Amino acid sequence: MTAQSKIKVDFATGNLSGHPLEQSVRTISDMKGYYLDERARQSLHPKQVVYRVQIADAARQGEEGGLLLGTTFIEPGLVGDEYFMTKGHFHRHRNRGEYYITVAGTGALILMDETRRTAFETMSPGSVHYIPFNTAHRVANTGESVLAFLACWPSDAGHDYEVIASRGFSGRLRKINGVATLIEEP
Ligand code: S6P
Ligand code: ZN
């Protein structure tokens, strides 16, 4: 007996199609507090999309032993000298890792361990990134086109946004003289 998979990935764009598919959007107004230059953020249209996330079979969230698959699309853009980026999170269950695979565009995966040591890996089509457990992760679009990446993570990982929302990462990725540079926070 053969069965047809219900979800498909378009490897040109990263777009998932089929169902069940859950989609969410983060706009400039959702990113309040995440950027250094709050006036620059306020000068942008509040409904400007920063990123979108598609998750296949999102109902599996919370299920022990399962895996989730999703695509994130980050628009190109800057808030002051900081790139459009995801909020970033630790997994609620800290001992859960994740894979990111870049499909389109260029960017940076910013990683911070629990001692607040921050580093980044550059992302380009085909690049594979392993996010170890106990590591906060955020992606910034450093290019001129949409950055799309696939993610695969344990369904029971959960998300802890609190630490990042309140303390941020210990470094910010900023466009300095045209170059993506990680600047340590004082
Ligand atoms: C989930 C995975 C991604 C992110 C997405 C948006 O563990 O890391 O699907 O959720 O890239 O980022 P954030 O920080 O807003 O969840
Ligand atoms: Zn994650």
Side-chain angles (χ1 to χ4, degrees), residues 100-107 122-129 147-150:
Y100 280 179
I101 302 168
T102 314
V103 177
T106 52
T122 56
M123 300 172 77
S124 60
S127 65
V128 176
H129 305 270
L147 170 66
F149 62 91
L150 283 167

Side-chain angles (χ1 to χ4, degrees), residues 32-70:
K32 187 171 192 299
Y34 282 88
Y35 287 101
L36 195 57
D37 190 343
E38 173 58 13
R39 280 176 66 174
R41 191 193 66 83
Q42 283 179 8
S43 72
L44 298 174
H45 196 289
K47 290 195 173 145
Q48 160 77 49
V49 172
V50 179
Y51 61 102
R52 294 185 296 119
V53 182
Q54 299 179 317
I55 301 180
D57 267 330
R60 285 213 186 96
Q61 284 178 101
E63 182 186 285
E64 195 181 324
L67 293 169
L68 290 168
L69 177 74

Side-chain angles (χ1 to χ4, degrees), residues 2-171:
T2 56
Q4 189 89 35
S5 163
K6 296 187 195 78
I7 297 281
K8 283 204 145 192
V9 183
D10 176 343
F11 279 107
T13 62
N15 194 58
L16 301 180
S17 59
H19 61 89
L21 201 59
E22 184 184 281
Q23 314 220 32
S24 59
V25 176
R26 297 277 181 257
T27 61
I28 279 292
S29 76
D30 295 320
M31 298 303 287
K32 187 171 192 299
Y34 282 88
Y35 287 101
L36 195 57
D37 190 343
E38 173 58 13
R39 280 176 66 174
R41 191 193 66 83
Q42 283 179 8
S43 72
L44 298 174
H45 196 289
K47 290 195 173 145
Q48 160 77 49
V49 172
V50 179
Y51 61 102
R52 294 185 296 119
V53 182
Q54 299 179 317
I55 301 180
D57 267 330
R60 285 213 186 96
Q61 284 178 101
E63 182 186 285
E64 195 181 324
L67 293 169
L68 290 168
L69 177 74
T71 300
T72 302
F73 306 87
I74 309 178
E75 296 294 323
L78 289 167
V79 177
D81 63 10
E82 279 183 273
Y83 302 95
F84 277 18
M85 63 186 183
T86 59
K87 289 184 171 183
H89 58 269
F90 282 97
H91 289 151
R92 191 164 53 77
H93 288 293
R94 291 289 197 275
N95 61 347
R96 301 291 192 271
E98 184 162 4
Y99 266 117
Y100 280 179
I101 302 168
T102 314
V103 177
T106 52
L109 168 61
I110 302 153
L111 299 167
M112 182 177 76
D113 67 19
E114 289 218 290
T115 68
R116 297 189 57 78
R117 201 172 21 212
T118 302
F120 74 96
E121 297 178 0
T122 56
M123 300 172 77
S124 60
S127 65
V128 176
H129 305 270
Y130 181 67
I131 299 162
F133 58 77
N134 271 327
T135 306
H137 39 292
R138 160 182 284 165
V139 173
N141 183 346
T142 58
E144 309 289 327
S145 59
V146 173
L147 170 66
F149 62 91
L150 283 167
C152 184
W153 69 102
S155 354
D156 66 346
H159 296 100
D160 174 358
Y161 291 100
E162 285 309 306
V163 176
I164 301 302
S166 57
R167 289 192 69 194
F169 281 67
S170 63

